[in-house]
């Protein structure tokens, strides 16, 4: 039997309707009487006050609360207005898609007209009462827009709290959440639907909250868009109440009793133990009085029951489903369920309140001590020196090796270090450098050692650059008229020295900057490590607490960074001095005996193997190893007098297909050039060293000049390799370790002490009593006092509630 769509819009005057309306009025009277019981009201008021404090101060308290969930236009806003007993056009402001609304409904028999007050933002205080319904909607809209503009977001989880006192509303607190949407509105970010879903899940996840999920009756259970989202939050629907809204739209489809009973049971989709509520509310949005609005709600309930009884063949199973049909039944259930949860949670809430009161009292005591300490210079000096000393000890421990804090969180890979330090690739190195353990997150001494190894890989990847014939000619001409047999050898050595100064100096500077970056990062790790080690689990406070002294922490960080910066500057000067020494014309590095250099190479091989044997990563670059003796480039075999031929050792010309560096075969492995290979024998050529014109002619390409030019280039490459090896293996490694690590272990505290504490009291106190610092501490103390007062008041109320249980 079909019915008209308008049957709910015009209230019928049948005796059944009159009987149901009379029953509804009687039910309202009983609800008013029960809600007025002193124990119930005192318990409700205590939780409302506690909820206000939690919102104002950000307290995480497990207060039983009802959260309304559902898609856009599923009827959440209409349900709120029906619970309140009056309309305030909440749907007109579209707040459901932007910001949650906490409605604290207080049944007050003396409030014949609704009195609504909004809690001030970031305060537990409420504003002046608002009477006009339009003003309520405007307040919600303005507060929402102001916060979203401030946060530059489309939605916000920060709730608006409204307290409504009215003679016709129950004692009930409900949180209206933004409605689920499939697509963002015009002008909103495309991520708005995902943000709403994430925010609603966050609001509904706490286990102490009761979920009220609304879904239109026109949506089949098997095609529900948002039921799966609710299952993600509450898989068994243990704390979820399902409400089928706009139930009147479905009534016309029922003709037989079995159809109605099958739909009301929702079996097969929700489970046998899940019993939804079925609600219909007035559809007309015309302006009516509050009394008329409530009458319409009761009339719709009556018409739904009448339709099921009279217009469906056989009616429906009233014994099983009547208690779940109609808004009145839903309202009574919500109020009784919330009061039940309040009663059950009272003991646990009382214990938690006592704990929070103790914690706030301890915080207030600590704040008083801080304010008092601002005038106690000796106390501040002693505390700050102990704190600085502890940080220095933590830095030393991190350099020596530590696994706390968690390296996965605080460590960095080689690529992250290069990116964050802004240094990028090594200057002059074309191939990619990947030292051992490059992909592991390291810090402290481990990261320092990795950078050192990376520097060695980069240095050995740099070859002696090619030299033009013009440069060779300009250098060798200076030696042409000096006589003797070392003109070509000296030219090759000078070319090697110039190349080493030009190409190795930037590598040294980069190494110093990278190492300084590693050490600068240790400050934050030392602070974290110090905080963890000095946390007193029994009392919840840190010994030697220096929190809150922002000026001191900033000065300590600045002093530490300056210390590391000075170390980097000193180390740059130190390694530059070593570079200048090995590239000086007085240096004998290029002419060291084969025996001495071979012995040094063996030492280098041993250290290289040791440093690389602990590689834990997948990829690496290995610095070259040289197990064979090197021949001193350009070594004079026989010197003759003027007019006699001189026999000289001349390196072979490298093959274009196989690059050579001196007497080393330069192989390319993993993108890096590595040296190796055995000693090569060199052919001897005869030339007149007394005739400078022949030498110049050879360089210009006359009479076999290519052989002479290649001899100089190969000899220069050998000199360059020897300079590089001596610099990296003998000088730089020990210089950087002693220049960075030793001062951090031995001189850091002295440097910080002189900088921070070696000043007069007035300048010292600037770190603690900066302009406005006292005012900030005083404001924090006042805020703590307010929180303490509110929590103590809540505690007193809950003790009274507990005694009445």
């Amino acid at each position: 039997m079909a019915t008209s769509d308008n049957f709910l819009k015009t209230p019928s005057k049948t005796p059944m309707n009159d009987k149901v309306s009379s029953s509804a009025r009687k039910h309202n009277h009983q609800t008013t009487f029960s809600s007025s019981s002193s124990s119930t009201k005192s318990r409700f008021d205590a939780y409302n006050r506690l909820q206000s404090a939690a919102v104002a101060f950000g307290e995480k308290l497990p207060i039983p609360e009802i959260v309304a969930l559902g898609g856009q236009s599923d009827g959440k806003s209409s349900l709120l207005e029906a619970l309140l007993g009056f309309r305030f056009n909440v749907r007109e402001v579209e707040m459901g898609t932007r910001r949650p609304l906490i409605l604290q409904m207080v049944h007050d028999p003396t409030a014949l007209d609704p009195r609504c007050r909004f809690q001030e933002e970031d305060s537990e205080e409420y504003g002046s009462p608002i009477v006009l319904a339009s003003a309520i909607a405007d307040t919600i809209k303005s507060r929402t827009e102001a916060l979203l503009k401030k946060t530059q977001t489309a939605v916000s989880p920060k709730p608006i709290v409204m307290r409504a006192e009215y003679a016709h509303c129950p004692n009930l607190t409900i949180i209206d959440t933004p409605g689920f949407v499939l697509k963002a509105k015009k002008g909103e970010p495309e991520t708005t639907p995902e943000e709403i879903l994430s925010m609603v899940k966050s609001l509904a996840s706490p286990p102490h909250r009761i979920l009220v999920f609304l879904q239109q009756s026109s949506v089949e259970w098997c095609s529900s868009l948002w039921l799966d989202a609710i299952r993600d939050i509450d898989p068994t629907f243990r704390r979820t109440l399902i409400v089928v809204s706009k139930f009147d739209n479905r009534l016309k489809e029922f003709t037989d009793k079995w159809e109605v009973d099958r739909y009301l049971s929702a079996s097969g989709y929700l489970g046998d133990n899940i019993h939804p509520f079925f609600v219909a509310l007035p559809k007309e949005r015309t302006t009516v009085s509050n009394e008329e609005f409530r009458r319409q709600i009761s009339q719709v309930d009556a018409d739904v029951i009448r339709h099921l009884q009279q217009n469906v063949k056989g009616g429906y199973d009233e014994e099983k489903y009547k208690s779940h049909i109609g808004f009145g039944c839903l309202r009574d259930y919500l109020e009784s369920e919330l009061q039940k949860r309040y009663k059950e949670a009272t003991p646990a809430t009382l214990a938690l309140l006592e704990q929070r009161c103790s914690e706030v009292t301890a915080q207030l005591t600590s704040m008083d001590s801080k304010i008092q300490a601002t005038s106690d210079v000796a106390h501040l000096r002693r505390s700050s020196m102990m704190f600085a000393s502890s940080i220095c000890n933590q830095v030393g421990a991190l350099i020596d090796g530590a696994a706390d804090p968690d390296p996965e969180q605080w460590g960095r890979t080689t690529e992250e270090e290069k990116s964050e330090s802004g240094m990028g690739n090594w200057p002059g190195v074309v191939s990619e450098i990947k030292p051992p353990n490059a992909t592991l997150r390291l810090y402290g001494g481990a990261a320092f050692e990795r950078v050192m190894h990376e520097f060695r890989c980069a240095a050995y990847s740099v070859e002696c650059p090619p030299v033009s014939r013009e440069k060779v000619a300009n250098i060798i001409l200076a030696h042409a008229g000096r006589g003797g047999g070392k003109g070509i050898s000296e030219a090759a050595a000078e070319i090697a020295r110039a190349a080493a100064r030009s190409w190795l100096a930037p590598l040294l500077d980069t190494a110093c900057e990278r190492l300084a970056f590693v050490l600068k990062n240790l400050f934050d790790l030392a602070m974290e490590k110090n905080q963890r080690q000095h946390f007193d689990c029994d009392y919840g406070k840190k010994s030697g607490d220096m929190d809150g002294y922002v000026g001191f922490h900033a000065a300590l960080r600045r002093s530490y960074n300056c210390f590391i910066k000075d170390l980097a500057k000193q180390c740059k000067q130190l390694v530059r001095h070593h570079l200048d020494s090995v590239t000086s014309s007085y240096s004998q590095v290029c002419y060291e005996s084969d025996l001495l250099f071979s012995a040094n190479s063996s030492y280098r091989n041993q250290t290289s193997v040791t440093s690389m044997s602990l590689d834990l990563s997948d990829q690496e670059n290995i610095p070259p190893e040289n197990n064979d003796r090197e021949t001193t480039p350009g070594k004079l075999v026989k010197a003759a007098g003027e007019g006699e031929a001189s026999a000289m050792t001349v390196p072979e010309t490298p093959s274009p297909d196989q690059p050579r560096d001196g007497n080393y075969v330069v192989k390319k492995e993993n993108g890096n050039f590595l040296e190796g290979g055995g000693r090569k024998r060199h052919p001897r050529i005869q030339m007149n060293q007394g005739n400078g014109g022949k030498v110049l002619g050879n360089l210009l390409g006359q009479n076999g000049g290519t052989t002479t030019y290649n001899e100089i280039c190969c000899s220069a490459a050998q000199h360059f390799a020897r300079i590089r090896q001596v610099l990296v293996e003998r000088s730089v490694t020990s210089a950087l370790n002693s220049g960075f690590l030793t001062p951090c272990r031995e001189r850091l505290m002295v440097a910080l002490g002189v900088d921070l504490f070696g000043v007069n009291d007035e300048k010292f106190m600037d770190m603690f009593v900066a302009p406005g610092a006292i005012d900030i501490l005083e404001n924090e103390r006042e805020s703590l006092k307010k929180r303490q007062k509110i929590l103590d008041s809540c505690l007193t109320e809950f003790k009274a509630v507990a005694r009445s249980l």
Side-chain angles (χ1 to χ4, degrees):
M1 182 186 305
T3 58
S4 171
D5 292 341
N6 297 325
F7 86 101
L8 288 179
K9 295 184 179 179
T10 304
S12 60
K13 299 298 182 181
T14 61
M16 174 65 71
N17 288 324
D18 292 339
K19 180 178 179 180
V20 173
S21 299
S22 174
S23 176
R25 286 192 295 270
K26 180 179 179 181
H27 166 76
N28 288 340
H29 174 73
Q30 292 174 347
T31 301
T32 299
F33 177 81
S34 62
S35 298
S36 300
S37 63
S38 59
S39 61
T40 300
K41 188 174 187 306
S42 62
R43 185 162 54 244
F44 183 78
D45 290 341
Y47 272 106
N48 268 358
R49 185 186 297 273
L50 185 60
Q51 185 182 53
S52 299
V55 172
F57 298 115
E59 295 281 356
K60 301 296 183 181
L61 301 175
I63 304 171
E65 295 166 323
I66 297 176
V67 181
L69 314 169
Q72 192 95 34
S73 303
D74 276 347
K76 292 189 287 80
S77 299
S78 297
L79 178 63
L80 291 181
E81 291 181 335
L83 289 170
L84 284 167
F86 66 94
R87 281 177 172 160
F88 60 93
N89 296 324
V90 65
R91 291 187 294 182
E92 301 298 326
V93 300
E94 298 180 346
M95 52 70 59
T97 62
R98 307 174 78 182
R99 194 175 174 187
L101 175 66
I102 297 179
L103 282 177
Q104 296 177 337
M105 308 176 203
V106 180
H107 176 78
D108 185 355
T110 64
L112 302 181
D113 292 319
R115 295 192 301 264
C116 298
R117 294 184 297 162
F118 285 90
Q119 185 176 343
E120 300 294 341
E121 302 279 15
D122 303 318
S123 172
E124 78 283 2
E125 301 294 335
Y126 285 82
S128 302
I130 298 177
V131 178
L132 295 178
S134 59
I136 296 173
D138 291 341
T139 302
I140 294 175
K141 183 176 181 179
S142 62
R143 289 198 174 194
T144 300
E145 291 178 348
L147 181 63
L148 298 183
K149 183 178 180 181
K150 179 181 179 181
T151 59
Q152 296 294 309
T153 56
V155 295
S156 173
K158 187 175 182 179
I160 297 174
V161 181
M162 186 180 85
R163 179 182 177 90
E165 300 170 354
Y166 195 27
H168 301 284
C169 72
N171 286 319
L172 190 66
T173 296
I174 190 167
I175 303 174
D176 185 26
T177 62
F180 302 125
V181 293
L182 293 175
K183 187 177 180 180
K185 290 185 177 183
K186 185 178 180 180
E188 291 182 338
E190 294 182 358
T191 58
T192 299
E194 290 77 13
E195 291 180 13
I196 291 176
L197 181 60
S198 176
M199 180 177 68
V200 171
K201 284 186 175 182
S202 177
L203 290 170
S205 294
H208 59 272
R209 288 180 170 168
I210 306 169
L211 311 184
V212 177
F213 172 61
L214 282 82
Q215 180 174 276
Q216 297 186 45
S217 63
S218 58
V219 179
E220 300 296 338
W221 295 116
C222 59
S223 59
S224 175
L225 294 175
W226 308 118
L227 194 60
D228 290 340
I230 302 303
R231 277 197 175 99
D232 292 341
I233 303 171
D234 184 20
T236 61
F237 299 120
R238 182 182 59 84
R239 55 187 180 92
T240 300
L241 181 67
I242 297 178
V243 177
V244 179
S245 62
K246 304 179 182 180
F247 183 49
D248 51 314
N249 292 338
R250 193 74 184 234
L251 291 178
K252 60 183 179 181
E253 300 180 10
F254 303 135
T255 56
D256 293 322
K257 179 177 182 294
W258 68 269
E259 294 176 323
V260 179
D261 290 346
R262 185 179 65 174
Y263 178 77
L264 295 178
S265 67
S267 60
Y269 298 103
L270 301 180
D272 296 336
N273 297 325
I274 306 300
H275 303 291
F277 279 82
F278 301 87
V279 174
L281 294 170
K283 294 182 177 180
E284 293 184 355
R285 299 299 299 178
T286 56
T287 302
V288 296
S289 65
N290 294 336
E291 183 179 0
E292 176 62 18
F293 176 58
R294 294 190 297 276
R295 192 195 69 79
Q296 290 179 0
I297 294 174
S298 299
Q299 188 64 55
V300 169
D301 280 354
D303 288 341
V304 168
I305 296 297
R306 177 187 59 80
H307 179 84
L308 293 175
Q309 291 174 338
Q310 299 180 4
N311 295 352
V312 176
K313 186 178 179 180
Y316 71 104
D317 191 341
E318 295 188 29
E319 182 180 354
K320 187 174 183 180
Y321 299 115
K322 187 174 183 180
S323 61
H324 285 70
I325 298 176
F327 167 76
C329 294
L330 174 63
R331 179 191 57 194
D332 291 347
Y333 179 83
L334 289 176
E335 185 176 14
S336 63
E337 184 66 17
L338 188 61
Q339 291 297 331
K340 175 185 173 183
R341 298 291 182 96
Y342 280 166
K343 186 175 181 179
E344 292 174 350
T346 297
T349 304
L350 179 60
L352 184 61
L353 268 176
E354 290 177 341
Q355 176 185 342
R356 289 298 298 130
C357 287
S358 299
E359 293 173 353
V360 172
T361 300
Q363 293 175 7
L364 187 59
T365 302
S366 176
M367 184 62 63
D368 289 336
S369 299
K370 286 183 179 181
I371 294 176
Q372 183 179 2
T374 56
S375 59
D376 189 348
V377 180
H379 172 76
L380 284 177
R381 281 187 178 273
R382 182 170 57 254
S383 299
S384 56
M385 289 182 69
M386 291 176 60
F387 186 86
S389 176
S390 179
I391 294 298
C392 293
N393 291 334
Q394 299 296 350
V395 170
L398 291 168
I399 290 176
D400 291 337
D404 181 51
D406 185 8
E408 293 186 7
Q409 177 183 356
W410 293 88
R412 290 174 174 82
T413 64
T414 295
E415 287 301 319
E416 289 172 342
E417 284 181 3
K418 291 163 64 176
S419 175
E420 294 179 24
S421 64
M423 300 306 297
N425 295 327
W426 293 87
V429 179
V430 179
S431 58
E432 185 178 3
I433 303 297
K434 290 186 177 179
N437 306 311
T439 59
L440 299 184
R441 296 184 177 277
L442 306 178
Y443 58 67
F448 189 94
E449 180 61 27
R450 183 174 62 187
V451 174
M452 290 291 295
H453 201 94
E454 187 181 355
F455 161 72
R456 296 177 69 247
C457 292
Y460 282 111
S461 297
V462 175
E463 299 180 281
C464 183
V467 185
S468 66
R469 294 178 181 271
E470 286 76 7
K471 290 184 178 180
V472 174
N474 276 277
I475 295 174
I476 201 171
L477 274 177
H479 301 274
R482 299 180 184 179
K486 292 188 178 182
I488 294 177
S489 178
E490 288 296 338
E494 184 60 32
I495 291 172
R497 295 185 189 107
R501 285 190 292 267
S502 176
W503 290 86
L504 298 182
L507 292 180
L508 296 174
D509 289 346
T510 301
C512 291
E513 292 293 338
R514 286 282 304 278
L515 293 173
F517 176 77
V518 169
L519 295 179
K520 282 183 180 179
N521 290 336
L522 294 186
F523 184 84
D524 289 326
L525 275 81
M527 292 285 288
E528 178 69 16
K529 192 175 178 67
N530 186 71
Q531 185 178 22
R532 293 184 182 186
Q533 288 190 357
H534 289 80
F535 190 80
D536 190 334
C537 298
D538 295 332
Y539 299 98
K541 62 180 181 179
K542 296 178 284 294
S543 59
D545 185 13
M546 295 299 292
D547 283 355
Y549 296 117
V550 179
F552 169 71
H553 285 290
L556 182 61
R557 180 185 295 271
R558 175 192 57 77
S559 183
Y560 178 83
N561 288 339
C562 289
F563 177 77
I564 300 299
K565 185 177 180 180
D566 290 341
L567 289 184
K569 183 178 179 181
Q570 294 169 13
C571 285
K572 285 182 181 180
Q573 295 174 350
L574 182 60
V575 294
R576 280 297 187 98
H577 171 72
H578 287 294
L579 177 61
D580 292 340
S581 297
V582 297
T583 57
S584 170
S585 59
Y586 297 99
S587 173
Q588 296 300 311
V589 169
C590 297
Y591 310 107
E592 287 181 338
S593 67
D594 291 347
L595 180 62
L596 177 61
F597 206 80
S598 177
N600 180 72
S601 298
S602 299
Y603 169 76
R604 179 174 62 84
N605 293 334
Q606 294 174 3
T607 58
S608 298
V609 170
T610 301
S611 63
M612 290 183 291
S613 61
L614 298 178
D615 178 23
L616 304 176
S617 63
D618 297 329
Q619 296 179 340
E620 63 174 289
N621 293 115
I622 304 176
E625 297 182 7
N626 177 24
N627 295 321
D628 302 305
R629 292 189 304 118
E630 295 192 31
T631 302
T632 304
K635 182 176 180 181
L636 184 63
V637 177
K638 180 180 179 182
E642 184 177 355
E644 296 182 0
S646 298
M648 298 191 65
T649 301
V650 181
E652 292 179 345
T653 303
S655 169
D657 299 327
Q658 187 176 14
R660 296 174 182 269
D661 185 0
N663 65 327
Y664 288 80
V665 178
V666 183
K667 299 181 294 183
K668 199 168 186 179
E669 179 177 332
N670 294 332
N672 296 319
F673 288 101
L674 306 181
E675 298 175 324
R679 175 181 177 183
K680 301 294 182 180
R681 297 184 60 83
H682 306 295
R684 301 189 177 192
I685 63 171
Q686 300 291 328
M687 64 178 295
N688 192 333
Q689 293 293 338
N691 191 338
K694 288 186 177 183
V695 175
L696 180 60
N698 287 339
L699 291 172
L700 297 178
Q702 304 171 7
N703 302 325
T706 301
T707 302
T708 305
Y709 171 71
N710 288 338
E711 173 190 357
I712 295 175
C713 289
C714 290
S715 183
Q718 284 185 307
H719 292 324
F720 180 87
R722 187 160 299 186
I723 291 172
R724 177 185 60 192
Q725 185 177 6
V726 170
L727 185 70
V728 173
E729 303 299 341
R730 295 186 185 179
S731 306
V732 173
T733 302
S734 59
L736 292 179
N737 276 283
S738 61
F740 276 111
L741 300 185
T742 302
C744 284
R745 292 188 180 98
E746 298 178 359
R747 300 203 327 258
L748 177 58
M749 184 57 206
V750 175
L752 297 184
V754 171
D755 188 24
L756 298 177
F757 312 118
V759 295
N760 57 39
D761 289 347
E762 182 178 359
K763 187 173 182 180
F764 174 79
M765 291 302 293
D766 288 343
M767 294 187 291
F768 300 91
V769 194
I774 297 297
D775 294 337
I776 294 175
L777 293 176
E778 291 287 356
N779 291 336
E780 290 182 4
R781 181 170 63 178
E782 289 302 317
S783 177
L784 284 173
K785 282 185 175 180
K786 288 183 179 179
R787 180 179 298 192
Q788 184 187 45
K789 181 179 179 180
I790 291 294
L791 291 178
D792 284 343
S793 176
C794 292
L795 179 60
T796 301
E797 287 186 85
F798 270 89
K799 286 181 177 179
V801 169
R803 286 193 293 268
S804 65
L805 293 179

